[in-house]
Amino acid sequence: MEESCILARSRARAVRAPCSSRTHEGALRACLVVGEVEGGLMEMWEDLLSQIEVREEEGSGICSTDELEEFEAETGITLPEDYKAFCQVFGSGQFGDGMSISCLGQNDPLTLEILRNVLEDEFDSELDYRVARGESPDIESIREILDAALVFGGNGSTNIVFWDLRTYSAEDKSYDIYMSRIEGFPGVSRIGRSFSEFVETFCLGIKPFAHFPDWTHPDPQALRRTFIRVPRR
């Protein structure tokens, strides 16, 4: 991998110098907030990119507008605007040693199939376990959520992150975002709707996450200010 720091993105820095002149977590969060308020999603991600050390694997690249529009036309899926802008600036890759983002909405049918199989194999025993502990026995919804999932991220072999495609709203042009455990019985937790907030919280750790289930929390040791851009599969 050839390491290339993106502090020399002069165009982005010239446009948003007040934001990129700040330091560390304050700067990262300020970039995201300014972009969301002013509606400049591309500028928001460019500013954030200027605060992060970027490494590129051979053959890696970013998405074009045409590629994103082609994906939407072929699948009939409307991708969230902040996600599409991210894919045109960052592309597919991994934040630090933690969360990875896959662009062009590339699904992960193998992982989803594994989760569905575990769900079916352990459904009855999990139901009995929850009833015995006085917990909610409503786990049928997990099956429905997985059936409507479009995976866009994950952190290795531990968790995957996906949209529930049944939940699109024209108001925010997004979907409910869920995280699911891969090991053991699928634990599924809704973690929001905003992709940019997901990046703030689970990729960079600059937004609180203590109120989410413990198993969703990012590893503090993995929250590094780096992004490794990888080839799209």
Side-chain angles (χ1 to χ4, degrees):
M1 293 186 294
E2 180 180 356
E3 181 174 313
S4 58
C5 187
I6 313 298
L7 294 176
R9 294 180 63 90
S10 57
R11 181 172 65 85
R13 292 175 64 85
V15 172
R16 319 292 277 213
C19 174
S20 57
S21 65
R22 299 184 181 94
T23 59
H24 307 302
E25 293 187 2
L28 296 177
R29 185 154 190 192
C31 291
L32 288 165
V33 170
V34 169
E36 288 178 336
V37 171
E38 297 185 4
L41 293 173
M42 292 288 285
E43 291 89 347
M44 174 184 74
W45 293 125
E46 287 170 349
D47 282 342
L48 180 61
L49 191 67
S50 73
Q51 304 294 322
I52 295 175
E53 179 184 356
V54 176
R55 304 169 186 170
E56 298 196 36
E57 292 187 354
E58 184 176 354
S60 63
I62 58 178
C63 296
S64 67
T65 301
D66 289 345
E67 288 175 317
L68 292 162
E69 290 178 349
E70 182 180 355
F71 173 87
E72 291 181 310
E74 290 181 350
T75 63
I77 297 172
T78 301
L79 297 171
E81 293 297 322
D82 51 355
Y83 170 80
K84 289 193 289 186
F86 176 93
C87 289
Q88 293 176 80
V89 175
F90 276 80
S92 296
Q94 181 179 22
F95 284 93
D97 293 326
M99 192 65 67
S100 294
I101 303 295
S102 179
C103 286
L104 286 180
Q106 297 165 333
N107 216 329
D108 191 344
L110 178 59
T111 301
L112 285 173
E113 188 60 29
I114 291 173
L115 289 175
R116 292 190 187 102
N117 289 338
V118 172
L119 180 67
E120 298 302 325
D121 292 343
E122 301 183 13
F123 190 92
D124 290 339
S125 60
E126 179 69 14
L127 180 61
D128 292 341
Y129 174 77
R130 293 193 180 194
V131 170
R133 289 171 57 90
E135 298 177 0
S136 171
D138 181 20
I139 54 178
E140 177 64 34
S141 60
I142 297 178
R143 179 187 286 118
E144 298 171 356
I145 291 171
L146 293 178
D147 285 343
L150 179 66
V151 178
F152 67 84
N155 55 351
S157 60
T158 307
N159 301 325
I160 59 170
V161 185
F162 56 86
W163 290 297
D164 179 352
L165 296 181
R166 303 169 302 170
T167 62
Y168 181 79
S169 170
E171 184 174 346
D172 62 2
K173 298 181 180 179
S174 191
Y175 307 86
D176 285 346
I177 299 174
Y178 285 86
M179 186 179 294
S180 176
R181 288 181 300 221
I182 296 176
E183 299 179 352
F185 189 85
V188 175
S189 178
R190 182 182 179 277
I191 57 174
R193 286 185 64 86
S194 167
F195 175 77
S196 57
E197 288 188 4
F198 164 77
V199 172
E200 283 184 277
T201 306
F202 295 96
C203 300
L204 295 171
I206 58 177
K207 204 164 187 179
F209 49 77
H211 56 291
F212 293 107
D214 290 347
W215 61 267
T216 68
H217 295 179
D219 178 1
Q221 300 300 318
L223 295 174
R224 300 176 182 173
R225 299 294 184 261
T226 60
F227 184 77
I228 302 175
R229 186 177 286 146
V230 301
R232 299 202 304 270
R233 291 179 298 176

